[in-house]
Each structure stands twice: as C-alpha cells, then as structure tokens.
Amino acid sequence: MTLKEKILDGKRIDFNEALSLYDMDFFELGELADSIRKKMHGKKTYFNINRHINPTNVCADVCKFCAYSANRKNPNPYTMKHEEIMEIVKDVESRGAKEVHIVSAHNPDAGLDWYLDIFKKVKTAYPNLHVKALTAAEVDFLARHYGKTYDEVLDLMVENGVDSMPGGGAEIFDESVRDFICKGKVTSNQWFEIHRKWHERGKKSNVTMLFGHVEKREHRIDHMMRIRDAQDISGGFNAFIPLVYQRENNYLKVDEFMSANEILKTMAISRIVLDNVPNIKAYWVTSTVNLALVAQEFGANDLDGTIEKESINSAAGAKSANGVNLEEFVALIKNSGFIPVERDSVYNEIKVW
Ligand code: V47
C-alpha cells in the first residue's frame, strides 16, 4: 500500500511518513488534504463574527518573536481600563459579534482580579456572548505570579465566565527551538497539562503553531504529533491554527517570509496528520486573506472571523489591524467556490450565508 493509498484509506500516518509528505507533488498533496476536508466538511467554510481584544501589552516575559509586548522596540506600554473594554464589547455586541477573544501580555502589576474582572463584567452584561480568553501561557504566568495551582486558575476562569480557551502560546513544542525563541515562558509539557485540565472540565480549546521562523519541517511534524497524542486522550481541541511568523519589530532575525508553497503544504499536512482534530483554521491575519482563501483547497475549513481589530500580529507586520468587512469576507468565500457558514465559538452552525 502506498502512502497515498494509506491516507485515502483513512489510516493514521507516522512521523516519517508525515515528513515525507513535504516531498510529494504540491498539487497531489493539496488534493489529498482536500479529499479529507471534503469528507469532514464538504464545501463549508466556517467563520464567526468576533472581536479580538488585547487589554495590556505590559509583559514580564520576553519572547524573541513578539512585537506586541512593550519593550525597547515597542516602547508604548498600555493597560486598558475595564470601562474602556466594556465600551468596545458594547459596541461590537450591538453589531452582531458572538465572541470576544481576550488575550493579553503577562502584566505583573495589573493584579489577578484585573484579569478576572474583565471576564466577569463581560459575562454579566452579555450572558450570551462567548468569552474566549487566556492562553495557556497566561494561565501559567498568573499561576506562578499569584502562587496558585493551574487548577485554581482554571476554576477561577470558569467561575468568572470564560467559556473556552484560545490556542495561543503553543509556538513550537520542540524544546530546543522553544528555548531559543521563548525561554522562560510556559513549557510544552505545561502547555498540554493546562489544556488537558481545561478539557477535563468539559471545556473546549484550540491549539496553534507558530511557524516560518527558525524551526525546521521536523519540528512542525513533531508539533502536530504531540497534538494528535494529546487529542487522543482529551478530545478537547476544536481547531488547529498554523500561525505564519510575522517578521517586523521583534528580536528574531529571519530574512525571508515563508513561501506560499511551504505554508500551503504545512496546512495540507496538518489536515492529514491531525485526523482527530475536527477543524483546520487558516488564520488570514498571518497568512493574508488571499492565501487563506487558497488554503480552503489545501485542507483548511475555517477562516476564523471578522476580528475587527487585532494587535498582536499586526504589531509584527500583519495587515490585520482593522479586521475585514463581513459582506466582503462572505463574498470572497463564495467566489472561491465554498459555502460561508457562520458558526458559534464551539462550531455549532448559526447561519449559512
Ligand atoms: O501565541 C506572536 C502569535 C499568538 C507573532 O485560538 C505571532 O482561535 C506571528 O494564539 N508572528 C496569539 N504570530 C494569537 C493566537 C490566536 C489567533 C487566532 C485565533 C486563535 C484561536 C488564537 O500569536 C501567540 C503567538 O504564537 N504571535 N508574535 C509574530 N511575530
């Protein structure tokens, strides 16, 4: 049986087989991933109407790839007042947002309650708005800084209204690469421990991968394998999100933006390897909208959402500061031959556009 037949037969592939897919013909690989995508989701492409809010950029950690945190290259520290955050939430909710995605830096001076009260205030005022908040990196920071266990922080999140966790802070799980790009923050094992504990509470989360910097193809495959193993145990990951590295205003020197060919291959391989993760999200913020549309034919079935405003990736050069217009977004998905389906944050279908 050839590798292609094995994949078409729905059999699980191993590390070496996955790595060898990078050498497969580009279009053949795309077709393989597309056949799996079609089996799982047909021509549907999911998105949601959401707003990213990044309440503080003051950070106790230094990740070389990050242009968002306030530091020598970006000396503009800010910490939003809750009133300011609530004004934003009020506005976007009134215009149809179903989710707020709240992620911050690791601010050592804001106080644990400053973080938690954001969620409580949003949830109290808008019980139907989905609160997706706190990456595992933030959970680890809050636990360390305030002398709490992961369980205690996760319980506080649930009590204060967090519905699901985003997939940030995963970066690259290989320890040698991780040490080089973000030494000192949540380790790979801790990242998985936090998500496992979150899933044990009956909650869902996502998982990202930051690629296109100093990592090698092997590290990406290793990253996917670790996700597949964890998902076999907890089953709580809704989506895998490959984030394409943005090179500006940070401390990680990378000469070239990754080629579209390599980005699409990586997306396609992730669709094939992650046979137990339902959704592959092409996050247009880091891939560009155009490439995200093409990625729909390379295994991706989700384009995140309208976002409205985003600060983490746009600080590093992504052209995402102002989100995308809903009507335009829907038209682009339709014109590329797919069916735009608005979903909620845990992938219940809300409306076929
Ligand atoms: O963890 C930071 C990444 C992530 C850069 O769960 C960078 O639905 C590219 O996790 N170039 C935060 N990426 C964003 C994130 C996310 C985004 C969309 C959806 C979801 C979800 C999660 O942004 C960080 C980090 O990996 N990041 N700097 C950079 N220069």
Side-chain angles (χ1 to χ4, degrees), residues 65 101 132 166-169 171 206 210 241 244 246 281 283 313 316:
F65 54 78
H101 177 153
K132 179 158 85 180
E171 323 311 358
N206 292 331
L210 180 66
I241 310 160
V244 184
Q246 310 294 304
K281 186 186 283 192
Y283 187 51
N313 302 110

Side-chain angles (χ1 to χ4, degrees), residues 61 106 137 139-148 150 184-186:
D61 285 298
H106 309 165
V139 172
D140 172 69
F141 163 74
L142 293 173
R144 277 189 284 128
H145 198 64
Y146 295 102
K148 305 238 176 260
Y150 290 155
K185 91 167 175 190
V186 66

Side-chain angles (χ1 to χ4, degrees), residues 97-295:
K98 307 283 192 308
E99 171 191 289
V100 279
H101 177 153
I102 306 173
V103 169
S104 285
H106 309 165
N107 188 327
D109 305 318
L112 182 58
D113 285 343
W114 176 84
Y115 279 88
L116 297 173
D117 284 350
I118 298 173
F119 317 133
K120 189 191 237 161
K121 286 179 180 166
V122 172
K123 206 65 192 174
T124 307
Y126 307 100
N128 295 327
L129 195 60
H130 184 100
V131 177
K132 179 158 85 180
L134 292 185
T135 65
E138 290 173 277
V139 172
D140 172 69
F141 163 74
L142 293 173
R144 277 189 284 128
H145 198 64
Y146 295 102
K148 305 238 176 260
T149 63
Y150 290 155
D151 282 306
E152 286 168 337
V153 175
L154 296 172
D155 285 341
L156 285 167
M157 285 161 63
V158 174
E159 272 168 40
N160 285 277
V162 175
D163 294 299
S164 70
M165 276 177 70
E171 323 311 358
I172 281 283
F173 291 133
D174 175 86
E175 280 75 9
S176 59
V177 178
R178 196 173 184 85
D179 267 5
F180 181 70
I181 62 173
C182 57
K183 196 173 175 58
K185 91 167 175 190
V186 66
T187 66
S188 303
N189 287 340
Q190 289 167 333
W191 192 98
F192 278 112
E193 182 187 351
I194 291 166
H195 280 262
R196 179 176 49 75
K197 284 176 177 294
W198 184 248
H199 298 162
E200 280 167 7
R201 285 163 170 74
K203 301 284 190 185
K204 296 288 187 182
S205 66
N206 292 331
V207 49
T208 56
M209 173 176 79
L210 180 66
F211 73 119
H213 43 87
V214 297
E215 93 293 348
K216 302 214 162 19
R217 287 171 169 176
E218 288 85 330
H219 301 128
R220 291 178 223 147
I221 301 296
D222 169 70
H223 193 91
M224 294 174 202
M225 290 290 162
R226 294 194 201 200
I227 295 168
R228 194 173 72 180
D229 289 346
Q231 180 77 334
D232 274 344
I233 296 166
S234 72
F237 293 117
N238 266 338
F240 173 65
I241 310 160
L243 301 168
V244 184
Y245 173 63
Q246 310 294 304
R247 299 176 299 139
E248 290 175 21
N249 309 319
N250 64 23
Y251 293 98
L252 193 58
K253 287 272 155 292
V254 174
D255 292 338
E256 279 180 36
F257 195 69
M258 177 170 267
S259 70
N261 177 299
E262 189 76 5
I263 294 170
L264 292 172
K265 277 186 170 184
T266 304
M267 297 231 184
I269 293 171
S270 74
R271 178 60 291 165
I272 295 167
V273 171
L274 296 173
D275 52 15
N276 53 3
V277 176
N279 302 289
I280 304 293
K281 186 186 283 192
Y283 187 51
W284 60 263
V285 166
T286 64
S287 67
T288 73
V289 173
N290 287 347
L291 203 64
L293 293 170
V294 179

